[in-house]
Amino acid sequence: QVQLVESGGGLVQAGGSLRLSCAASRSISEDNQLGWYRQPPGKQREFVAAITSGGITHYADSVKGRFTISGASGQNTVYLQMNSLKPEDTAVYYCKADVYVSSGRYSTVGWGQGTQVTVSS
């Protein structure tokens, strides 16, 4: 229902940085969550980071301390600043939009097409 478009992916050497952006076609809802997932080659898609409309953030242990998620007011745009990149971070990164259902539960309303991030050693 919500259209999402990612940008900012590319090729970078280990230790470098990239900033991903995700733009939504409209404001999601008053209670929402925008996040990032990634899928390394030959692996399952995994959670990376998320930010709620209230500003609460969550990170996967593998990226905590290196990645920072942020969003513009109104939650139409979300960013993922990726620092100290490692070859293990190589993956297609997807933006996802969720709406609040109940305590600790969200329902997905949109996925982006993905943007490739490649980290060389």
Side-chain angles (χ1 to χ4, degrees):
Q1 186 176 2
V2 178
Q3 295 178 345
L4 303 169
V5 180
E6 304 99 334
S7 62
L11 175 64
V12 66
Q13 287 189 303
S17 299
L18 284 174
R19 191 189 193 200
L20 305 183
S21 299
C22 173
S25 58
R26 58 177 175 82
S27 179
I28 311 304
S29 69
E30 186 168 318
D31 292 321
N32 68 76
Q33 177 173 264
L34 294 176
W36 292 94
Y37 284 70
R38 68 185 183 186
Q39 186 166 13
K43 303 292 184 180
Q44 292 182 266
R45 190 173 297 185
E46 64 185 24
F47 170 78
V48 176
I51 183 168
T52 71
S53 52
I56 299 173
T57 59
H58 299 277
Y59 297 93
D61 289 342
S62 59
V63 307
K64 195 170 186 178
R66 299 187 297 121
F67 292 11
T68 302
I69 188 169
S70 62
S73 298
Q75 293 289 77
N76 282 71
T77 306
V78 64
Y79 305 96
L80 185 68
Q81 178 66 46
M82 306 185 295
N83 298 325
S84 301
L85 284 162
K86 305 174 181 179
E88 301 94 295
D89 295 319
T90 295
V92 177
Y93 284 70
Y94 298 90
C95 180
K96 182 166 75 77
D98 300 327
V99 295
Y100 177 81
V101 175
S102 61
S103 182
R105 296 186 60 244
Y106 288 82
S107 178
T108 301
V109 294
W111 282 93
Q113 294 185 174
T115 185
Q116 177 70 48
V117 171
T118 302
V119 184
S120 64
S121 59

